Amino acid sequence: MIKAKEEKQTIEDIVRDINMNGFSIAEGVIPEDKVAEVREGAINAGADEFARVAEERDKSRAQGHIIGAEGVDQAKGLINLTQVFAPYLMHEKILGVSEVIFGPHIRVIWTSVLINNPGTKRFYWHADWPYNQTNASHIPAPYPDVIMGLASIWMLTPFNKETGGTLVVPGSHRMNNNPSSEGIRGIDR
């Protein structure tokens, strides 16, 4: 549903989008004048972790695991390294939506910084945990039609088709399989 600019996006709008499409774009969670500060804080906090994570990733790849794309810097547990983005986790469009879907006792289970460096090639189509069939810990397909987790992706740099924005298949959250198991006809991993 396209809203007039003067209408405020509500929690109900976001929850409806998630239920219908499997995702929603919640604008304004981080004020425009704070985005650069959050981006730089995340990059600086993760800098020491990038090499360590890359070494772990290389060991996993050597064992045959399909993990991460070349050219991507990653730091896990970002909230332990910096709280620059923590106030925005409390924004109603994040916390409020989570509480509508899961109730008052929600839990953040991971925070990571991922940096797709210039020239990074697109990674294979996949699903995030717990659905990714290439992970040891996963729910086997076919999946039940229930929301088991929410992920938020915070775009802190221009994020679009030309710069390598995330691709989604609207409605795929209702499918009982995903491309990580090569189980959806017509979707090329």
Side-chain angles (χ1 to χ4, degrees), residues 18-116:
I18 290 169
N19 285 325
M20 287 176 43
N21 300 314
F23 71 95
S24 185
I25 298 172
E27 296 183 18
V29 172
I30 302 173
E32 257 184 70
D33 65 334
K34 297 289 185 185
V35 171
E37 175 185 334
V38 173
R39 179 182 59 243
E40 294 308 313
I43 290 169
N44 292 338
D48 291 339
E49 285 290 292
F50 296 152
R52 189 188 66 72
V53 170
E55 187 176 316
E56 283 180 19
R57 189 175 53 228
D58 291 344
K59 286 179 186 175
S60 292
R61 284 181 183 150
Q63 295 175 1
H65 298 287
I66 302 171
I67 179 171
E70 295 290 336
V72 176
D73 289 328
Q74 178 180 9
K76 300 174 184 178
L78 184 63
I79 199 140
N80 297 322
L81 306 173
T82 180
Q83 284 75 51
V84 70
F85 65 93
Y88 309 109
L89 289 172
M90 304 304 287
H91 193 284
E92 67 178 0
K93 291 180 181 180
I94 303 294
L95 182 60
V97 167
S98 300
E99 288 179 337
V100 166
I101 292 172
F102 295 117
H105 306 291
I106 61 164
R107 177 178 212 153
V108 175
I109 60 170
W110 73 78
T111 57
S112 299
V113 59
L114 296 170
I115 300 172
N116 287 329

Side-chain angles (χ1 to χ4, degrees), residues 47 50 132 154:
F50 296 152
N132 193 329
W154 298 18

